[in-house]
Amino acid sequence: MPKALITGITGQDGSYLAEFLLGKGYQVYGVVRPTSTRNYESISHLLNHIKLIEADLLDQSSLRKALYDSRADEVYHLAAMTFSEVSSWQPVVTAEYTGLSVTRMLEVARHADWPIRLFNASSAEIFGNIPMSPQNEQTPVHPHSPYGVAKLYGHSITINYRESYGLFACNGILFNHESPRRSLNFVTRKISYGVAGISLGLQDKIVLGNLEVQRDWGFAGDYVEAMWRMLQQEVPNDYVIATGVAHSVLDFVIAAFACVGIHDWQCYIEIDGSLLRSFEINKQIGDATKAHRELGWHPHVTFQELVEMMVKADLQHLMTIL
C-alpha cells in the first residue's frame, strides 16, 4: 500500500487530496500543527481513515519525525499562509511559513533513507501583474505581494533541490481553485456564503472591493488530481494547473445570485474602497497545455458548476443552523 504525507491536510486542498488518495488505496498521513484548539471540520468525515501527526512548519526536527513516522513514499507540501492580503501585514511570518517551510521539507526528504517523491504547491501569484497572458511555465515571474515572493522562493528552491540533489520534486503552479471548503476570507466564498444568507433573509448585503478583477477559477477537487499525476511521472517537472478561462468577480457575483433566482444583484452589493488592494493583480489566465499533454489532466468542473456547487453548499449549511 503506497503511503502519502500531506502538510495542510485540514485545508481545502488537503482534504480533497486526502479523499482522492484514499480512493487510490493510499495510507494517508496528515501533518497538523500542535495547538490547544482543533479545527478538523474539512476532514471530520475522514478521521477514521487517516492518521494525523503533529508537526510545526517552523521546526525541521518535527517535520523529520513526521516523515519518518509515516515512511511516506509521496509528500504533498500544501501548508502555507494562503491569504495574500494578510501577507502584506505579516511579511516575515509569511516568508517563514510559505517560503522557508518548503526548504525544511525538502531537506527532510533529501536526507531520508528511502526514495521520496515531493510535490510543492506553487502559485500563479509568482507571475504578478505582468502583461503576458495567458501564463505558462515559461512566463517571466514578477510577484506582486509578500505571499507571491514567498511562493516564488519555495518554487525556486524546489527546482534547486531537484537539479542539485536529484530529488524527485515537482511544482504545481496552481491558479485559483475554489470549493465549498474554501475559507470565508476568500472573495469567492464570501460571495457564495453571502448570496445564500441573503436568499434566506439572514443578511442584507455583501461588501466587496474591485469587481473587475479577473481570475482563472477552477475546482479544487480537479486540481488535487493533477498533483497526484505529477508524482506518477518518470521524470519530475513543473506544471501550470488552470482552466484557461478567466472570469471577473462581477461574473461570480451575477452567477451566484442567479443560483437563487435573484437578478437585481445591484441591490445587495456594496463597494468599499478600503477593500481595494494596492498590489492587486488585474487579470490571471493559466495555460495548462503542458499538463494536458504530459499528465493527461483536464479540469472537469466548469465555472458555472463551481459557483452553483458553492452556493448550494452554503445554502444547505445555513439551513441546518436556522
Side-chain angles (χ1 to χ4, degrees), residues 79-91:
M81 290 185 65
T82 57
F83 196 39
S84 60
E85 185 177 356
V86 173
S87 75
S88 65
W89 311 334
Q90 298 181 308

Side-chain angles (χ1 to χ4, degrees), residues 260-277:
V260 295
I262 295 176
H263 301 289
D264 56 342
W265 58 267
Q266 298 94 331
C267 300
Y268 304 99
I269 296 297
E270 178 180 321
I271 303 301
D272 183 350
S274 69
L275 297 178
L276 300 176
R277 298 187 294 186

Side-chain angles (χ1 to χ4, degrees), residues 6 8-24 28 42-43 45-46 50 76 78 177-183 189 218-228 301 306 309-310 313:
I6 304 172
I9 195 169
T10 61
Q12 170 189 255
D13 292 7
S15 63
Y16 280 110
L17 178 60
E19 288 176 349
F20 179 85
L21 294 176
L22 287 170
K24 291 288 184 181
V28 176
S42 65
I43 56 169
H45 60 300
L46 303 175
I50 62 178
Y76 295 86
L78 312 183
H177 47 290
E178 315 297 320
S179 77
R181 300 177 192 172
R182 180 57 108 178
S183 165
R189 183 75 194 291
F219 172 50
D222 287 341
Y223 284 40
V224 300
E225 179 186 347
M227 300 175 189
W228 174 77
V301 176
L306 173 63
M309 178 196 307
M310 294 178 68

Side-chain angles (χ1 to χ4, degrees), residues 294-312:
E294 297 184 12
L295 303 179
W297 176 84
H298 297 272
H300 302 294
V301 176
T302 67
F303 173 76
Q304 186 64 40
E305 290 168 341
L306 173 63
V307 177
E308 291 178 0
M309 178 196 307
M310 294 178 68
V311 172
K312 288 179 180 178

Side-chain angles (χ1 to χ4, degrees), residues 21-22 34 47 53-54 59 97 126 142 198 201 235 272 301-302:
L21 294 176
L22 287 170
L47 291 176
I53 304 173
E54 289 191 346
D59 179 9
Y97 279 102
I126 68 175
H142 189 73
I198 288 169
V235 178
D272 183 350
V301 176
T302 67

Side-chain angles (χ1 to χ4, degrees), residues 23 26 29 31 71 161 195 201 215 233 252 275 309 322:
Y26 280 67
Y29 296 81
V31 172
R71 301 292 295 187
Y161 271 66
V195 166
R215 292 290 182 269
Q233 302 305 299
F252 202 105
L275 297 178
M309 178 196 307
L322 282 176

Side-chain angles (χ1 to χ4, degrees), residues 185-201:
N185 289 332
F186 288 80
V187 68
T188 51
R189 183 75 194 291
K190 183 178 182 179
I191 293 168
S192 66
Y193 193 87
V195 166
I198 288 169
S199 71
L200 295 173

